Amino acid sequence: YAMLLSLIFLIVLVAAVVGFVFRHEIKTNFESNLNLALRDYNATADRHSEAVDTIQRTLHCCGVQNYSDWERTEYFAQRGIPRSCCKSQDDCSEEDLKDPSKAKLKVFMDGCFFLVTSTMESKMSVVAGISFGIACFQLVGIILACCLSQYITNNQYEMV
């Protein structure tokens, strides 16, 4: 049991170190994937498109760096900026979303990349604290399992 807990502890430790060391690569990869999702965006039930809409609605953002990122997509040529960027769904017409100067007043100005990464970084201390707490419990479990093993081993020799 102690060996199993030790293995899990080492896996979590390695994952934390790798996540910390490669955090810049993770950000770069996220940005490129977000750019790809915008480029391939369509209003159907595509999971990437749904993810973009959910991020934009939840974080009140639009595009990768800002709303003008949508101007370089095929979707913008056909329908304009997606409705998930609108500040108010009632005050957002398709004509407004096709005109960048009008859309500037109706959509969120901030880009999603900065908001997602800043949200992740702000929550990182909470995740690190919880991970540290779990690691402490695992270490206590490892120590207690080793003590129990030692106690059982000592008692077997005394019985003989």
Side-chain angles (χ1 to χ4, degrees):
Y1 182 69
M3 293 299 285
L4 179 66
L5 278 179
S6 299
L7 180 66
I8 293 171
F9 177 76
L10 288 174
I11 290 170
V12 170
L13 184 66
V14 167
V17 169
V18 167
F20 182 75
V21 170
F22 293 112
R23 68 185 181 277
H24 299 294
E25 286 81 3
I26 293 170
K27 281 183 183 180
T28 304
N29 193 16
F30 175 71
E31 185 177 18
S32 65
N33 284 332
L34 191 56
N35 277 317
L36 284 173
L38 255 66
R39 189 192 72 201
D40 297 337
Y41 182 87
N42 57 29
T44 61
D46 177 20
R47 65 185 177 138
H48 298 290
S49 300
E50 285 179 17
V52 170
D53 286 337
T54 302
I55 289 171
Q56 290 182 153
R57 274 193 210 101
T58 305
L59 295 178
H60 303 291
C61 60
C62 190
V64 178
Q65 300 301 328
N66 57 36
Y67 76 98
S68 63
D69 292 336
W70 283 103
E71 295 176 30
R72 296 183 295 273
T73 64
E74 290 179 27
Y75 183 84
F76 181 82
Q78 298 168 359
R79 293 185 168 171
I81 298 172
R83 294 189 66 80
S84 60
C85 283
C86 293
K87 293 177 185 175
S88 170
Q89 295 295 322
D90 301 332
D91 188 32
C92 223
S93 67
E94 193 170 320
E95 294 80 32
D96 292 339
L97 295 174
K98 286 183 177 181
D99 183 8
S101 59
K102 289 181 183 176
K104 182 178 183 177
L105 304 171
K106 308 259 181 179
V107 299
F108 302 117
M109 300 295 290
D110 297 326
C112 293
F113 174 72
F114 174 73
L115 287 175
V116 168
T117 54
S118 64
T119 301
M120 284 180 6
E121 287 173 357
S122 70
K123 305 293 184 204
M124 200 60 70
S125 60
V126 173
V127 171
I130 291 171
S131 300
F132 181 72
I134 291 171
C136 287
F137 278 118
Q138 283 181 320
L139 286 175
V140 168
I142 292 168
I143 292 168
L144 291 176
C146 289
C147 290
L148 180 62
S149 173
Q150 186 68 30
Y151 179 75
I152 291 171
T153 304
N154 287 341
N155 280 345
Q156 282 181 349
Y157 288 120
E158 288 175 12
M159 289 182 352
V160 172

